[in-house]
């Protein structure tokens, strides 16, 4: 059988733009109503739920029209205008792996360190240790890239909304990856660390550009000049600060005015980097057969700064006359060399000239293979030259090439690491990529491999081509103020000088463009409230305020003014970020969360852990104090976001980790009941709500929080009477009310709302089913049913007694705070007073433990504990007191001990009268209820004589809570009805006659006697106590005496302001043993 419109159904599946109201694109439109009928016939079962459970066609339609330009960042979309959204969708992503990921990553990774510090690192650490430094750093980034690829291919990474910023690298991807994988706390902490890293990177690039400008391009542009031989560093730093601030201001203005210009010049900057690197390789090849001429002047074995003289000799011949050279005049100012006023070292040592760039074929590699670390101010020495070891004049230190900082392996790691950062560039541009899930892993890993090979080959080439003292010369003083890497390049040193200058300027602009957008992304997520202002910007979305803050932070880096000091700072922040990328991948992999399905398959949790370990090791290797500062900053941000309550649900891995940890802990708890030493009350607090769903006795929660002090389990339970299907909304509202109250009262716990037809059943369900596994409640806190005497309705006290019976049956402890409204609030303090414990029967030690736990809270801390126990006539009260004191000593509980003797007095007339009144009242109420039930039964009988089931139910439990109120019926009076009314009236009269002639039950009299006597003693001793704890007697086994039980409890606690009735759960909860 062919369904109508069958062809169109095929089209519907192909196009996938289904819409409930719009059937025409997919269905035969010849009959206007046909499309709707088609859906009605096929989806009639689901039509009531279509608004919350849309048709598959609607879902597919939305997915097809979705592009990854929107990045799935719903919170960002909400803030944008409709026009902006249209612009986004109109431009489709078109970049491939090469242009979108590979080249941007290369541009970001290659930077200022390669040109300004790599030669110095090779000379100082030697080729072998330089290989090790490059290997560690590149392994770190490669492992991080593998983890990042897994995260980036696990769904669309919300990164740099490219339509919004014209494809600019925005540094958003890394933040979104971490925050969506590890949650808002980690996301915010790491996002800010990455932001600070990017900002300091901008400062480092600017400092690099200034160093190139003032040292190699235009030294005459310096504003500050050294006033003496030892003032060179201060003048240099001040020059860096002034020019750095000017450069930063200029770059910030460029970024503010037009980001698109930065993006347009990005390819030019990349070309500069590539040409510079190619010129190094070209120069290295040329040096094999034609090394460049850069002579180095050596005095003894010390390297001289060549820019101060022209001829490397002590004397020179002018017009056939030997005269002192410029060098001699520098060491012996204004005097003949034989006069004895020369520098002693200069007198005793010869001046020689060596080749600065011997070339790759010279075999110099074997001399550069080992490390040569120097202390600050130590002069660079050529190991192979003879030297007379005499002290020279200190004022001549500036004539030599000397170390400006102390070096070690760890220092070099910190300085080199920024040259391998920049691996996030691909994920940050994910919005521009045609196929981000394929391009990001391939492009990033290829870029890292390429740059690593370049670094390894450069280390080898520098070691094989350049003389050791030239390598160790950071600023090229020995080769006439030339950039050391430039001396090797071909065709001219200027290729690298100009190329590196433009590439560092470009990298600085990239950082100043990316960092504000990252801050804006964090601000828009609204997880750090005080950053909210930085989410705003110009009308086109440019983050103006964020740019201003970025410029101010970058200025701090520029004021440090030393490239070697700034590099370790940004190393810390980047390492912190990479550490958490690895952690995110490892956590997700180990948890095997259902949503963890990366397209990139070549990852493993062990690789992520290895990457994480390397990151952590590098942090402490390069600078342990910076590492601690970075961790403290990240920790403070984490705790701040946690304290502010980041109510973001991103399906992050930390929630999954918490779930796994909870599951593991719960399974461990299942292994057996807790040892007595570990026993603490895990509370189920049963709350009563009024008609408006407000908590009737909020002080119950206050008491719970004081008893728990944030430890252990607290479940707040309540029962809503009704049908679950109809009362679901009411239950949700009640849950929210209780959660608000929990927050106000600072209770650390969970909320559980149950809907049941009868309150009594609901409470029973709560007592039975709350908690999970070993994490279950062992103590129930129950409010006292106030006003039970005045109420005709027995449900309140019946429910109370049933709950007491339930807790006893479940072997749970029970706490009943009486007069709970008088209990102290959390802000009150008792500076004096007693907590009195009346230990009448041993109930597992609960009475001892509770005051001790209460005294941990600041409200009760200063109260003293007194323990009273009751001695009968045949007890030795003196011995009892000694035994009790010893017991408390072993329990390590400080308390006063008193033994109260109770005389075997006769039952007083008051007791007898009180019992009689209780029984009369009980009998009277029973008669009244029976009369009422009889009337209702007769009315129902008239209404429907055949309703046998209903008739039986009336007899079954007339006092049940939740019993439906009989409907109002218009009755027709009959003779039968009239007779039955007379019978009821007569029986009522007889019942009241019985009440007058009643005699009290002896058992009740005995119980009343106990209650009265105990009450007398307790009130006498504890009338001024802050809190009285006493054993709660159990309810009678025979349910007929339930009402009398309530009366006994009332008599027992009469005249006491605050009472806590305690019933043990049938197990020992306190022990003297360690």
């Amino acid at each position: 059988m062919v369904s109508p419109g069958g062809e169109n159904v095929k089209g519907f599946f192909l196009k996938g733009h289904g819409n409930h109201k719009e059937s025409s694109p997919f269905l035969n439109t010849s009959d206007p109503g046909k499309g709707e009928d088609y859906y009605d016939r096929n989806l009639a079962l689901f039509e009531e739920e279509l608004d919350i459970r849309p048709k598959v066609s609607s879902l597919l339609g939305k997915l097809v029209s979705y592009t990854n330009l929107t990045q799935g960042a719903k919170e960002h979309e909400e803030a944008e205008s409709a026009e902006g959204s249209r612009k986004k969708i109109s431009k489709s992503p078109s970049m491939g792996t090469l242009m979108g990921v590979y080249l941007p990553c290369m541009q970001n990774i290659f930077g200022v360190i390669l040109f300004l510090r790599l030669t110095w690192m090779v000379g100082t650490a030697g080729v072998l240790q330089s290989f090790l430094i490059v290997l560690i750093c590149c392994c770190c980034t490669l492992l991080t890239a593998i983890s990042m690829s897994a995260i980036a291919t696990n769904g669309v990474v919300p990164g740099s909304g490219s339509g919004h910023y014209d494809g600019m690298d925005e540094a958003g991807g890394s933040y979104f990856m971490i925050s969506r994988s590890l949650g808002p706390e980690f996301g915010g902490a790491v996002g800010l660390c990455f932001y600070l890293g990017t900002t300091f990177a901008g400062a480092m690039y600017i400092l690099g550009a200034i160093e190139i400008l003032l040292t190699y391009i235009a030294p005459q542009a310096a504003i500050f000049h050294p006033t003496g031989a030892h003032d060179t560093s201060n003048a240099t730093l001040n020059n860096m600060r002034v020019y750095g601030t000017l450069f930063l201001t200029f770059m910030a203005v460029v970024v503010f005015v037009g980001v698109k210009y930065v993006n347009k010049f990005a390819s030019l900057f990349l070309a500069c980097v590539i040409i510079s690197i190619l010129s190094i390789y070209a120069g290295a090849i040329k040096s094999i057969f034609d090394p460049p001429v850069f002579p180095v002047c050596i005095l003894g074995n010390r390297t001289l700064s060549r820019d101060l003289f022209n001829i490397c000799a002590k004397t020179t011949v002018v017009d056939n006359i030997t005269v002192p050279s410029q060098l001699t005049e520098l060491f012996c100012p204004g005097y003949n060399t034989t006069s004895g006023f020369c520098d002693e070292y200069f007198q005793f040592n010869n001046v020689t000239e060596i080749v600065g760039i011997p070339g790759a074929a010279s075999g110099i590699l074997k001399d550069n293979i080992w490390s040569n670390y120097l202390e600050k101010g130590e002069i660079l020495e050529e190991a192979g030259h003879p030297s007379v070891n005499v002290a020279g004049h200190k004022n001549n230190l500036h004539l030599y090439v000397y170390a400006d900082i102390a070096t070690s392996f760890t220092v070099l790691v910190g300085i080199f690491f920024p040259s391998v950062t920049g691996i996030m560039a691909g994920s940050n541009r994910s919005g521009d990529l045609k196929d981000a899930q394929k391009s990001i892993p391939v492009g990033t890993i290829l870029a890292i491999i390429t740059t690593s090979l370049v670094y390894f080959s450069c280390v080898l080439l520098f070691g094989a081509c350049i003389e050791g003292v030239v390598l160790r010369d950071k600023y090229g003083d020995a080769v006439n103020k030339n950039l050391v890497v430039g001396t090797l390049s071909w065709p001219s040193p200027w290729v690298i000088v100009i190329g590196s200058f433009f590439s560092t300027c470009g990298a600085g602009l990239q950082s100043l463009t990316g960092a504000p957008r990252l801050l804006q992304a964090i601000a828009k997520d609204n997880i750090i409230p005080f950053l909210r202002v930085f989410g705003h910007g110009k009308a086109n979305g440019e983050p103006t305020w964020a740019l201003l803050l970025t410029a101010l932070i970058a200025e701090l880096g520029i004021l440090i003014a030393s490239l070697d000091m700034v590099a370790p700072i940004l190393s810390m922040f980047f390492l912190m970020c990479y550490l958490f990328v690895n952690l995110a991948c490892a956590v997700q992999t180990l948890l095997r969360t259902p949503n963890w399905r990366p397209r990139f398959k070549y990852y493993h949790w062990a690789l992520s852990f290895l990457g994480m370990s390397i990151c952590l090791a590098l942090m402490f290797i390069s600078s342990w104090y910076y590492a601690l500062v970075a961790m403290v900053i990240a920790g403070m941000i984490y705790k701040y976001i946690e304290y502010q309550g980041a109510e973001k649900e991103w399906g992050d891995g930390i929630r999954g980790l918490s779930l796994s940890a909870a599951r593991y802990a719960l399974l461990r708890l299942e292994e057996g009941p807790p040892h007595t030493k570990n026993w603490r009350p895990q509370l189920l607090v049963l709350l009563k709500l009024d008609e408006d769903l407000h908590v009737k006795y909020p002080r119950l929660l206050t008491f719970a929080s004081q008893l728990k002090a944030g430890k252990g389990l607290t479940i707040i339970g309540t029962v809503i009477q009704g049908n679950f299907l109809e009362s679901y909304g009411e239950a949700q509202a009640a849950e929210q009310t209780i959660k608000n109250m929990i927050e106000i009262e600072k209770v650390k716990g969970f909320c559980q709302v149950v809907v049941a037809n009868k309150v009594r059943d609901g409470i029973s369900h709560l007592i039975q089913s709350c908690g999970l596994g070993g994490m279950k409640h062992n103590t129930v806190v129950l409010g006292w049913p106030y006003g039970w005497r005045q109420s005709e309705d027995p449900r309140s006290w019946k429910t109370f007694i049933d709950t007491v019976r339930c807790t006893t049956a479940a072997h749970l402890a029970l706490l009943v705070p009486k007069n709970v409204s008088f209990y102290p609030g959390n802000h009150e303090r008792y500076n004096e007073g007693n907590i009195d414990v009346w230990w009448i029967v041993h109930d597992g030690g609960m009475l001892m433990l509770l005051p001790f736990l209460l005294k941990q809270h600041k409200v009760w801390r200063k109260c003293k504990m007194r323990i009273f126990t009751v001695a009968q006539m045949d007890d030795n009260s003196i011995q009892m007191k000694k035994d009790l004191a010893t017991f408390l000593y072993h329990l390590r509980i400080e308390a006063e001990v008193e033994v109260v003797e109770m005389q075997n007095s006769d039952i007083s007339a008051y007791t007898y009268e009180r019992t009689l009144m209780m029984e009369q009242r009980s009998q009277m109420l029973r008669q009244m209820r029976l009369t009422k039930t009889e009337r209702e039964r007769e009315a129902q009988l008239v209404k429907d004589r055949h309703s046998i089931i209903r008739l039986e139910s009336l007899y079954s439990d007339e006092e049940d809570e939740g019993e439906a109120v009989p409907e109002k019926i218009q009755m027709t009076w009959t003779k039968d009805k009239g007779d039955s009314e007379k019978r009821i009236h007569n029986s009522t009269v007889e019942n009241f006659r019985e009440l007058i002639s009643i005699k009290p039950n002896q058992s009740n009299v005995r119980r009343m006697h106990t209650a009265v006597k105990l009450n007398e003693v307790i009130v006498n001793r504890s009338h001024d106590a802050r809190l009285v704890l006493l054993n709660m007697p159990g309810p009678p086994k025979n349910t007929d005496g339930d009402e009398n039980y309530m009366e006994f409890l009332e008599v027992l606690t009469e005249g006491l302001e605050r009472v806590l009735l305690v019933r043990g759960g049938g197990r020992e909860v306190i022990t003297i043993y360690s």
Side-chain angles (χ1 to χ4, degrees):
M1 179 181 169
V2 180
S3 66
E7 290 175 14
N8 302 87
V9 176
K10 185 180 176 185
F12 154 70
F13 277 110
L14 287 173
K15 293 178 186 176
H17 287 273
N19 188 301
H20 184 54
K21 293 175 183 174
E22 184 182 86
S23 56
S24 55
F26 315 111
L27 298 164
N28 194 338
T29 52
S30 57
D31 181 359
K34 199 170 182 181
E36 289 296 331
D37 290 342
Y38 179 86
Y39 281 132
D40 289 345
R41 281 207 305 276
N42 285 278
L43 295 177
L45 269 176
F46 305 97
E47 63 190 5
E48 289 183 358
E49 292 186 321
L50 280 177
D51 53 337
I52 54 167
R53 292 181 181 150
K55 298 189 298 294
V56 173
S57 57
S58 306
L59 179 69
L60 292 175
K62 285 173 187 167
L63 291 178
V64 169
S65 61
Y66 170 84
T67 74
N68 65 353
L69 282 175
T70 57
Q71 300 299 316
K74 188 179 174 187
E75 52 268 39
H76 287 271
E77 286 176 6
E78 287 167 0
E80 290 166 7
S81 63
E83 186 185 349
S85 301
R86 281 201 297 278
K87 279 184 189 173
K88 270 190 174 185
I89 293 170
S90 64
K91 180 184 173 185
S92 63
S94 57
M95 282 191 176
T97 305
L98 182 72
M99 293 301 292
V101 182
Y102 181 72
L103 291 178
C105 279
M106 292 265 286
Q107 183 187 353
N108 277 264
I109 294 170
F110 286 135
V112 65
I113 302 292
L114 170 63
F115 304 117
L116 293 185
R117 294 290 182 270
L118 191 60
T119 51
W120 172 71
M121 187 185 90
V122 174
T124 308
V127 172
L128 281 181
Q129 287 193 25
S130 297
F131 265 137
L132 184 60
I133 291 170
V134 174
L135 181 68
I136 292 172
C137 294
C138 290
C139 279
C140 174
T141 52
L142 183 64
L143 292 169
T144 304
I146 290 169
S147 298
M148 186 195 76
S149 299
I151 296 170
T153 58
N154 188 48
V156 179
V157 177
S160 57
S162 60
H164 205 39
Y165 298 115
D166 199 22
M168 192 62 225
D169 175 9
E170 289 184 52
S174 52
Y175 162 67
F176 278 107
M177 276 194 302
I178 297 162
S179 62
R180 270 46 175 186
S181 294
L182 286 179
E185 294 91 353
F186 277 116
V190 180
L192 277 183
C193 279
F194 193 56
Y195 163 73
L196 291 171
T198 311
T199 306
F200 275 107
M204 185 190 74
Y205 289 128
I206 291 169
L207 289 172
I210 303 298
E211 188 178 303
I212 295 166
L213 178 73
L214 293 180
T215 312
Y216 309 113
I217 298 176
Q220 65 277 10
I223 298 169
F224 300 94
H225 299 281
T227 53
H230 300 289
D231 191 41
T232 49
S233 62
N234 286 338
T236 308
L237 293 178
N238 288 331
N239 283 322
M240 298 281 267
R241 287 178 184 124
V242 171
Y243 276 100
T245 305
L246 292 173
F247 260 55
L248 176 63
T249 308
F250 173 72
M251 286 183 175
V253 169
V254 169
V255 172
F256 178 74
V257 170
V259 176
K260 57 186 177 190
Y261 301 117
V262 181
N263 194 39
K264 283 186 170 64
F265 283 110
S267 50
L268 173 67
F269 299 140
L270 179 60
C272 291
V273 174
I274 292 170
I275 291 166
S276 302
I277 291 168
L278 291 175
S279 75
I280 295 171
Y281 287 115
I285 294 165
K286 179 177 172 287
S287 74
I288 296 171
F289 49 86
D290 182 18
V293 180
F294 283 99
V296 177
C297 197
I298 305 285
L299 173 63
N301 64 354
R302 296 179 181 178
T303 311
L304 294 170
S305 182
R306 190 60 190 260
D307 62 322
L308 300 171
F309 56 91
N310 51 6
I311 297 169
C312 184
K314 290 189 177 183
T315 58
T316 183
V317 177
V318 178
D319 298 331
N320 291 329
I321 300 168
T322 304
V323 294
S325 65
Q326 275 182 311
L327 183 63
T328 305
E329 288 175 4
L330 287 168
F331 278 98
C332 310
Y335 288 97
N336 192 308
T337 55
T338 59
S339 66
F341 288 93
C342 277
D343 186 290
E344 201 177 354
Y345 188 85
F346 182 75
Q347 277 186 312
F348 287 105
N349 287 288
N350 294 323
V351 176
T352 52
E353 198 169 55
I354 61 169
V355 180
I357 314 289
S362 64
I364 196 77
L365 180 65
K366 67 179 183 297
D367 298 331
N368 291 332
I369 208 154
W370 306 113
S371 62
N372 196 336
Y373 296 113
L374 301 172
E375 290 301 316
K376 186 176 180 180
E378 198 176 331
I379 297 167
L380 271 62
E381 296 178 349
E382 175 60 47
H385 280 62
S387 165
V388 178
N389 193 16
V390 291
H393 204 283
K394 285 183 180 177
N395 285 343
N396 291 330
L397 185 65
H398 68 288
L399 301 172
Y400 300 107
V401 180
Y402 60 92
D404 64 335
I405 61 167
T407 49
S408 64
F409 180 81
T410 58
V411 168
L412 294 181
V413 169
I415 291 172
F416 176 74
F417 188 79
S419 62
V420 295
T421 60
I423 61 170
M424 298 288 187
S427 66
N428 293 338
R429 300 172 74 115
S430 58
D432 299 323
L433 301 173
K434 198 182 295 179
D435 184 1
Q437 309 229 336
K438 179 186 170 191
S439 298
I440 289 175
V442 174
T444 307
I445 291 169
L446 277 178
I448 290 171
I449 292 169
T450 309
T451 51
S452 302
L453 290 174
V454 169
Y455 286 134
F456 281 122
S457 58
C458 283
V459 167
L460 193 63
L461 289 175
F462 295 158
C465 298
I466 305 175
E467 176 62 49
V469 286
V470 179
L471 284 173
R472 287 190 288 282
D473 179 6
K474 191 187 285 184
Y475 302 108
D477 293 325
V479 285
N480 210 12
K481 284 286 182 185
N482 274 300
L483 181 61
V484 174
V485 69
T487 58
L488 182 62
S489 65
W490 178 88
S492 161
W494 285 101
V495 174
I496 283 197
V497 171
I498 301 299
S500 59
F501 178 73
F502 279 116
S503 73
T504 47
C505 287
L509 280 170
Q510 293 273 4
S511 297
L512 286 178
T513 313
R517 281 161 184 71
L518 174 54
L519 184 62
Q520 188 182 40
I522 297 168
K524 281 191 173 179
D525 268 341
N526 201 19
I527 54 173
I528 304 173
F530 67 81
L531 290 181
R532 205 171 294 152
V533 65
F534 299 110
H536 307 302
K538 290 197 288 186
N540 64 346
E542 290 294 319
T544 314
W545 291 107
L547 176 63
L548 185 65
L549 181 67
T550 304
L552 290 172
I553 295 171
E555 178 62 20
L556 294 177
I558 282 163
L559 291 176
I560 295 170
S562 166
L563 187 72
D564 303 321
M565 293 293 285
V566 173
I569 296 174
L570 67 105
S571 292
M572 284 310 123
F573 291 123
F574 277 121
L575 280 166
M576 183 77 81
C577 179
Y578 295 168
L579 185 147
F580 281 105
V581 169
N582 284 305
L583 176 65
C585 181
V587 164
Q588 297 277 32
T589 309
L590 286 172
L591 290 178
R592 295 192 185 92
T593 45
N595 190 46
W596 181 245
R597 303 184 298 275
R599 286 187 183 280
F600 179 77
K601 300 296 180 192
Y602 306 101
Y603 67 93
H604 192 270
W605 65 265
L607 290 176
S608 299
F609 267 117
L610 181 61
M612 199 169 75
S613 308
I614 293 174
C615 288
L616 195 62
L618 281 174
M619 285 174 73
F620 283 94
I621 283 171
S622 54
S623 175
W624 64 267
Y625 44 90
Y626 278 156
L628 290 176
V629 169
M631 285 178 161
V632 166
I633 290 171
M636 283 166 64
I637 297 164
Y638 178 94
K639 293 309 287 182
Y640 175 76
I641 297 170
E642 189 181 52
Y643 174 73
Q644 286 292 327
E647 294 176 4
K648 298 280 180 185
E649 179 47 72
W650 289 330
D652 50 83
I654 291 298
R655 285 185 75 89
L657 187 62
S658 304
L659 188 64
S660 284
R663 184 181 65 92
Y664 173 76
L666 284 170
L667 289 171
R668 286 289 304 274
L669 284 173
E670 271 296 75
E671 290 172 7
H675 191 275
T676 306
K677 285 188 289 186
N678 298 330
W679 195 95
R680 65 164 60 245
Q682 317 288 11
L683 302 183
L684 167 61
V685 182
L686 296 173
L687 283 187
K688 192 171 186 180
L689 303 181
D690 59 19
E691 292 79 14
D692 299 325
L693 299 182
H694 293 138
V695 178
K696 216 166 183 183
Y697 303 113
R699 280 292 157 92
L700 273 176
L701 289 175
T702 315
F703 172 69
S705 74
Q706 290 168 9
L707 184 62
K708 300 296 291 176
K711 305 290 191 300
L713 174 74
T714 306
I715 302 171
I716 316 298
T718 191
V719 179
I720 289 178
Q721 195 171 340
N723 186 326
F724 179 68
L725 297 176
E726 295 162 6
S727 307
Y728 178 73
E730 199 178 337
Q732 293 291 95
E735 189 169 338
Q736 196 51 53
T737 304
I738 293 172
K739 279 181 178 172
N740 294 341
M741 189 58 72
I742 284 174
E743 205 169 313
I744 292 165
E745 295 295 343
K746 294 185 171 57
V747 178
K748 306 281 187 196
F750 309 98
C751 174
Q752 182 88 47
V753 177
V754 168
V755 180
N757 286 329
K758 296 176 182 176
V759 174
R760 165 186 335 185
D761 292 345
I763 290 174
S764 174
H765 295 157
L766 280 173
I767 289 171
Q768 290 176 65
S769 60
C770 271
L772 183 64
M775 199 66 172
K776 287 180 79 72
H777 57 276
N778 55 28
T779 306
V780 176
V781 178
L782 181 62
W784 178 260
Y786 301 100
W788 67 271
R789 279 175 172 157
Q790 288 74 31
S791 171
E792 279 187 32
D793 188 1
R795 285 185 296 182
S796 60
W797 57 263
K798 266 189 172 294
T799 303
F800 174 80
I801 294 173
D802 277 342
T803 307
V804 176
R805 286 199 172 102
C806 277
T807 54
T808 307
H811 298 290
L812 301 174
L814 177 67
L815 308 178
V816 181
K818 198 159 178 280
N819 304 332
V820 76
S821 306
F822 297 117
Y823 275 56
N826 281 328
H827 301 296
E828 294 177 46
R829 300 284 182 282
Y830 285 149
N831 293 321
E832 55 182 4
N834 299 313
I835 298 176
D836 285 359
V837 175
W838 284 85
W839 192 18
I840 298 159
V841 292
H842 180 57
D843 217 355
M846 277 284 282
L847 283 167
M848 312 291 173
L849 191 61
L850 291 172
F852 172 76
L853 293 173
L854 277 175
K855 275 165 63 67
Q856 308 298 308
H857 196 274
K858 54 195 171 189
V859 172
W860 304 92
R861 191 164 290 151
K862 294 187 177 174
C863 290
K864 290 179 180 174
M865 185 171 158
R866 297 192 299 185
I867 295 184
F868 298 91
T869 188
V870 175
Q872 303 303 325
M873 282 301 289
D874 50 350
D875 292 328
N876 184 341
S877 56
I878 297 167
Q879 188 61 41
M880 272 180 76
K881 187 169 181 176
K882 280 184 186 173
D883 293 345
L884 184 53
T886 311
F887 180 58
L888 288 176
Y889 174 76
H890 287 310
L891 283 176
R892 304 164 306 284
I893 290 176
E894 290 180 21
E896 287 179 34
V897 176
E898 283 195 45
V899 177
V900 178
E901 293 182 353
M902 284 187 73
Q903 306 296 328
N904 280 347
S905 60
D906 293 334
I907 293 170
S908 65
Y910 170 74
T911 305
Y912 196 84
E913 188 184 338
R914 191 83 192 248
T915 313
L916 185 62
M917 280 168 59
M918 173 186 81
E919 292 197 356
Q920 281 180 346
R921 178 182 174 281
S922 179
Q923 183 72 16
M924 185 170 67
L925 284 171
R926 197 176 292 119
Q927 293 298 342
M928 284 167 66
R929 280 197 295 274
L930 280 171
T931 308
K932 185 182 173 189
T933 312
E934 193 79 22
R935 281 183 182 153
E936 285 169 6
R937 196 187 72 191
E938 290 290 339
Q940 190 63 28
L941 200 63
V942 170
K943 184 186 175 195
D944 185 4
R945 289 179 181 278
H946 303 289
S947 182
I948 305 300
I949 298 163
R950 174 68 181 155
L951 205 68
E952 288 174 355
S953 71
L954 273 167
Y955 285 107
S956 62
D957 189 2
E958 67 272 20
E959 289 166 357
D960 263 352
E961 64 275 35
E963 191 68 65
V965 178
E967 296 170 24
K968 290 179 181 175
I969 306 143
Q970 188 175 359
M971 293 188 292
T972 308
W973 286 90
T974 60
K975 189 171 184 293
D976 292 346
K977 180 64 185 164
D979 292 343
S980 68
E981 279 295 310
K982 283 176 188 172
R983 280 201 307 276
I984 291 167
H985 179 71
N986 293 337
S987 65
T988 306
V989 173
E990 287 168 20
N991 290 335
F992 278 113
R993 283 182 189 142
E994 282 175 22
L995 278 178
I996 299 162
S997 59
I998 198 168
K999 287 188 177 179
N1001 183 303
Q1002 283 307 307
S1003 168
N1004 287 344
V1005 171
R1006 272 200 328 277
R1007 287 185 179 136
M1008 182 64 78
H1009 176 67
T1010 308
V1012 169
K1013 290 293 290 178
L1014 274 173
N1015 179 254
E1016 276 176 16
V1017 172
I1018 293 169
V1019 170
N1020 185 30
R1021 299 296 185 94
S1022 302
H1023 59 89
D1024 57 348
R1026 298 294 188 188
L1027 180 66
V1028 176
L1029 290 86
L1030 74 152
N1031 291 110
M1032 178 178 180
K1037 291 193 171 89
N1038 182 3
T1039 54
D1040 290 343
D1042 284 357
E1043 202 167 357
N1044 301 339
Y1045 171 70
M1046 294 299 294
E1047 190 69 39
F1048 296 143
L1049 291 181
E1050 284 283 12
V1051 171
L1052 186 60
T1053 56
E1054 233 168 29
L1056 296 171
E1057 190 179 16
R1058 280 178 288 271
V1059 187
L1060 180 62
L1061 295 168
V1062 181
R1063 244 177 104 61
R1067 63 161 292 170
E1068 292 294 328
V1069 299
I1070 198 163
T1071 178
I1072 63 172
Y1073 300 108
S1074 62

